[in-house]
Amino acid sequence: MRRNESCEFSQEIFWVVFRCYSRANLPVDAIRSFDKMVDFGITPCVVDVDQLLLALRKRKHMKEVQKFFDRVKDDFALSVKSYNIMVRGWGELGEVVEALKLFDEMLERGFSVDVLAYNSILESFCNAGKMDEAYKLFMKMRSVGPKPDAFTYSIFIHAYCVKDDIHLAFRVLDRMKRYKLVPYVLTYNCIIKKLCKSDKVEDAYQLIDEMINRGVTPDCWSYNTILAFHCDHNDVNLALRLISKMEKNGCLPDRHTYNMVLKMLIKVGRFDRVEKVWESMEDRKFYPSVSTYTVMIHGLCKKKGKLEEACKYFEMMMDEGIPPYGETCELLRNRLIGLGFAEQTWILADKMERSTSCLIQELTNIMRGNKAHVRLRCEEEYSDSDQSLA
C-alpha cells in the first residue's frame, strides 16, 4: 500500500492491525506495528496507545501489555482511560495485586479517579473472590466519591450469583431500586439464570415482569433461560406459552429458542406441535440454519416410524443449499441401511451431487459410505492451507 501509494495511511488502519495481531495471539507483533507507525508518517499519540492497550487486553495478553505500558507511560500523556484499561485487564484475570498497583499509581500521579476506575478495581476484587475488600472499597466510594453507578452494583450481583448467594444478589437489587438505578439486561439475566438453576422459575417470571415495568426490555437470553428450564422438564404447554409471551413483549425467538423447543417436542412425541412450530417460523421471519435442521433430522432419526420425515427435512436442506454436518449424513445413512432402505441413500447421494453447493457435493461420499476418500480430501485441503499460511 505504501509502495503503490494506493491510499493515505491513517491511525484507524493501524488500529485494525493491532486487533488482528491480538486476535491471532501475536501480541509482540501488535506492539511492533505500533512502533512502526512513524515509518508510515504517523506520529503515535495517547489515543493510539489506548487502542493498542484495549486490543491486547480484550485477548488477555496482560503480561505483554504491561511491559509495553511501563515502557511508554513516561513518553505519552496517559489518561485515566489508559489506566482503567489496564486495571480492568488485570481485574478480569483476578490478579488483584497487579490491579491495585496500577490503581495506586493513578492516585500517586494525581489523576482524578472516576467511577470506571473504581468499578475496575471492584471487579478485580470480586473476580478473585475477595468480597470483603470489595465491600470496603465500595463504602469508600459512598463516602468520598465518586458516586456508584448501575454497573458498580451489577458487579456485586454477578459475584453473588457466582457464589450461589441469590439472597444477597436480591438485596443489592433492592438497594439499586432505593437509589433509582436501573439494572442492565445482563444483570437481570444473571439473576434469572441463577433462579432457574435453583428451580425458582416463578421468581424468574416475576423478574421478567419487573424488567418490563422498569423500562428494561428482556432479550432472547432472558426468555431462553426460562425456556431451557421448561424444556428440561418437558413442560410443552409452558414452553409454547413462553414463546407467545416473547412475541407479545416484542422479542422474536432466535435459533436457540426454536432448537430447544423442537428438540423437546420430538423427544416427547408431540409431532403435531412440531409441524406447527416449524410452519410458524416463516411467519416470524425466521429461516432455519444448519443447527435447526440438525435438531429435526437427528431427533426424527431416533423416533420409530419417523425416518421418512427425517429424509424430508434432509432434502429440504439440500433445496435450500444448506450443507449438513458430516455426522448428520452418516447418521441418516446408517439408519436407512439398518432399516433396509439402502437404495434411498443413493437417491439422496445423487441429489447431493447435483446440488449447486460445492460443500454439499463434497459430502456425497459420506452418504455413499466412501468416508476414506472424504478424509483424504480434507487432509489434502488442510495441508494446502498450511502451506499457503507458511
Side-chain angles (χ1 to χ4, degrees), residues 163-196:
K163 289 170 68 69
D164 290 325
D165 196 333
I166 196 70
H167 175 69
L168 282 178
F170 269 106
R171 280 185 60 182
V172 177
L173 196 64
D174 290 339
R175 184 173 289 188
M176 291 183 74
K177 292 178 192 173
R178 206 177 309 149
Y179 292 107
K180 311 295 184 192
L181 291 171
V182 180
Y184 303 107
V185 175
L186 287 174
T187 306
Y188 275 116
N189 287 351
C190 183
I191 303 174
I192 289 169
K193 182 179 180 181
K194 189 55 61 179
L195 287 170
C196 289

Side-chain angles (χ1 to χ4, degrees), residues 41-135:
I42 299 172
T43 303
C45 64
V46 68
V47 176
D48 303 305
V49 173
D50 289 347
Q51 286 292 327
L52 178 57
L53 296 178
L54 194 59
L56 293 170
R57 190 213 86 196
K58 283 184 176 178
R59 306 301 293 187
K60 305 192 185 308
H61 300 300
M62 289 308 298
K63 288 183 180 178
E64 292 81 4
V65 78
Q66 185 66 57
K67 289 179 185 176
F68 171 77
F69 184 84
D70 291 336
R71 171 163 69 89
V72 301
K73 65 185 178 184
D74 293 324
D75 298 330
F76 294 87
L78 298 184
S79 63
V80 172
K81 180 182 178 180
S82 311
Y83 275 92
N84 282 346
I85 293 169
M86 294 297 296
V87 171
R88 186 164 187 188
W90 285 117
E92 286 171 347
L93 296 177
E95 296 287 348
V96 181
V97 174
E98 295 294 337
L100 276 172
K101 276 183 189 175
L102 288 159
F103 189 78
D104 292 338
E105 189 175 304
M106 288 174 71
L107 297 174
E108 288 169 8
R109 291 191 166 215
F111 283 108
S112 177
V113 182
D114 60 10
V115 68
L116 290 174
Y118 272 100
N119 286 347
S120 296
I121 201 71
L122 280 172
E123 203 168 22
S124 68
F125 277 129
C126 290
N127 287 341
K130 299 185 176 183
M131 300 303 295
D132 291 339
E133 288 90 336
Y135 186 71

Side-chain angles (χ1 to χ4, degrees), residues 189-243:
N189 287 351
C190 183
I191 303 174
I192 289 169
K193 182 179 180 181
K194 189 55 61 179
L195 287 170
C196 289
K197 282 194 172 182
S198 305
D199 292 338
K200 297 179 179 178
V201 71
E202 291 302 323
D203 291 337
Y205 272 106
Q206 289 178 14
L207 212 54
I208 290 282
D209 293 336
E210 179 184 312
M211 290 173 73
I212 295 167
N213 291 335
R214 299 193 71 187
V216 180
T217 304
D219 59 13
C220 272
W221 207 97
S222 314
Y223 293 105
N224 285 347
T225 304
I226 301 174
L227 184 66
F229 176 88
H230 292 321
C231 290
D232 288 342
H233 290 78
N234 297 325
D235 294 327
V236 173
N237 292 332
L238 290 176
L240 295 176
R241 202 177 299 157
L242 181 60
I243 293 178

Side-chain angles (χ1 to χ4, degrees), residues 36 127 132 146 252 292 307 369 381:
K36 287 182 71 68
N127 287 341
D132 291 339
L252 290 176
T292 308
L307 188 56
E381 287 177 354

